[in-house]
Amino acid sequence: MSVHRDSQLDMFAKASPVIAKVRAPSRGRSSQPSMHCEEDMARTLEESGNYRILRKLTARPIAPVKRPEFSRLGVILDTETTGLSHRSDEIIEIGAVAFTFDDSGAIGDVVGIYGGLQQPSRPIPPEITRLTGITDAMVEGQVIDLRSLSVLIEPADLIIAHNAGFDRPFCEAFSTMFAGKAWACSVSEIDWSARGFEGTKLGYLVGQAGYFHEGHRAVDDCHALLEILDREQRQGESPFAELYRASQRSRIRIFAEHSPFEMKDHLKARGYRWSDGSDGRLKSWWIEVGEDELGDELSYLRSEIYRWKEAEPPTVRLTAFDRFKS
């Protein structure tokens, strides 16, 4: 749900954990009748079958007490950066929403929020300002408070990002607090299509779930993702429960090292990606599969690519502690 720009800026006035304050209604004026009236109108439009209503997404407040039945801590994290390369570009904003959950993947309460801006070493490119709304004036003199951020990150059992392959390398280059943490990706580790969603971008998910929000600002996106992850679907299982279960499974990365050059189009069509070796991986085509898919993939490589049944392409077993690294 969208937030007025002034309120959003207040969120980042200090680089420290943020608690949104709910304004009390003006004296002598009650907002309750108005709310009822709005909901009645929305319901009437929806029941007509001619309209779909998007409701403003409301951020959850920080719970005053941590419930013991939700013993695990997750952190939804989002970054805004000056570009796409974690080697040459910089983080200009980090948002984080910490929440509790249990071993079944049931979400408890929000227990902490952080939002901070940081001035980069070079001016923000105009296309980034257009995308994020973050200007050079907004970040001037701003520094992300690592101590406040670490209060949420260090005890986390799981860090969730909507495209962890992008956010994790930036975060690990930014601070050592992210080293050794378990990460999950809410884009690739949830079958959104099976849940009836037409795309995986956060804007699609929010809109199809019946909400709208202030997109492309870090804390707002974290709150929005939490609401989507906590929706019960598909026989009562929430997307977060699916994500948490996926994060606990190992994946296998297979490197089709020394594969014949003329087979590159076949590998690419099957989903293999090329690594030129600059990122520390082997210089080869590679793919990541589940443990139950390993046998079939090796059989494919031996019969279709190498055409040698004794071929043993290198493999690496990955857990949530290893996945989505650069």
Side-chain angles (χ1 to χ4, degrees):
M1 113 188 179
S2 61
V3 178
H4 288 299
R5 180 63 61 187
D6 290 343
S7 299
Q8 190 179 30
L9 291 177
D10 289 344
M11 225 176 215
F12 303 102
K14 295 181 180 179
S16 59
V18 178
I19 302 175
K21 296 182 179 179
V22 179
R23 291 183 180 177
S26 301
R27 287 186 182 178
R29 185 184 303 171
S30 173
S31 62
Q32 200 66 24
S34 175
M35 287 297 294
H36 281 301
C37 182
E38 290 173 358
E39 278 301 315
D40 288 342
M41 288 189 292
R43 194 174 301 109
T44 299
L45 290 172
E46 287 176 323
E47 291 173 353
S48 73
N50 296 321
Y51 299 90
R52 291 182 61 194
I53 305 300
L54 298 183
R55 288 172 169 79
K56 193 176 182 182
L57 194 150
T58 303
R60 301 184 187 191
I62 294 177
V65 178
K66 183 179 178 181
R67 290 183 282 173
E69 62 266 35
F70 297 101
S71 59
R72 297 195 176 276
L73 182 68
V75 174
I76 295 176
L77 184 140
D78 186 45
T79 63
E80 302 296 348
T81 68
T82 59
L84 301 178
S85 172
H86 70 279
R87 292 184 175 87
S88 57
D89 295 307
E90 302 171 68
I91 288 176
I92 54 176
E93 182 180 30
I94 286 182
V97 173
F99 64 95
T100 56
F101 65 97
D102 65 17
D103 289 335
S104 71
I107 290 177
D109 305 295
V110 170
V111 294
I113 303 170
Y114 176 83
L117 293 166
Q118 176 139 326
Q119 182 175 1
S121 59
R122 298 185 299 275
I124 299 173
E127 61 270 21
I128 298 299
T129 294
R130 284 194 298 271
L131 178 66
T132 65
I134 300 174
T135 66
D136 288 319
M138 290 169 60
V139 298
E140 185 175 0
Q142 297 292 317
V143 178
I144 290 170
D145 186 344
L146 294 180
R147 181 177 298 179
S148 296
L149 182 58
S150 69
V151 170
L152 303 185
I153 300 300
E154 288 184 0
D157 296 294
L158 188 66
I159 299 175
I160 301 101
H162 203 63
N163 191 2
F166 176 84
D167 291 289
R168 181 170 190 170
F170 268 100
C171 288
E172 291 190 340
F174 180 70
S175 171
T176 57
M177 78 172 74
F178 295 100
K181 304 303 296 185
W183 284 70
C185 178
S186 53
V187 171
S188 63
E189 295 185 289
I190 297 172
D191 190 346
W192 292 109
S193 178
R195 292 176 176 275
F197 289 91
E198 297 173 0
T200 60
K201 287 187 177 181
L202 185 57
Y204 288 140
L205 301 178
V206 171
Q208 284 195 257
Y211 298 104
F212 66 93
H213 83 300
E214 195 76 30
H216 291 299
R217 290 302 305 273
V219 169
D220 295 321
D221 282 352
C222 291
H223 282 298
L225 182 56
L226 178 62
E227 295 307 315
I228 303 305
L229 291 177
D230 201 25
R231 294 185 76 220
E232 286 196 4
Q233 289 183 306
R234 208 170 59 178
Q235 297 160 355
E237 182 185 59
S238 70
F240 178 71
E242 179 184 348
L243 176 63
Y244 181 50
R245 192 171 61 252
S247 74
Q248 295 176 298
R249 292 194 293 262
S250 296
R251 302 277 292 177
I252 311 296
R253 188 168 289 167
I254 306 171
F255 296 90
E257 192 178 26
H258 305 307
S259 58
F261 177 79
E262 63 270 18
M263 302 305 293
K264 64 181 179 64
D265 290 336
H266 295 271
L267 291 167
K268 187 175 181 180
R270 193 173 171 90
Y272 280 74
R273 304 176 188 177
W274 173 252
S275 171
D276 62 5
S278 62
D279 56 4
R281 299 187 181 102
L282 294 173
K283 186 176 181 179
S284 67
W285 290 92
W286 63 274
I287 196 171
E288 195 174 294
V289 299
E291 289 187 276
D292 56 343
E293 302 168 297
L294 177 60
D296 288 343
E297 200 61 37
L298 290 176
S299 294
Y300 163 76
L301 289 173
R302 289 164 181 157
S303 62
E304 302 295 327
I305 302 300
Y306 295 108
R307 297 176 183 174
W308 176 41
K309 65 179 181 179
E310 279 79 32
E312 287 292 340
T315 60
V316 176
R317 188 175 301 273
L318 303 172
T319 68
F321 293 94
D322 312 301
R323 294 194 70 200
F324 313 113
K325 284 178 172 286
S326 59

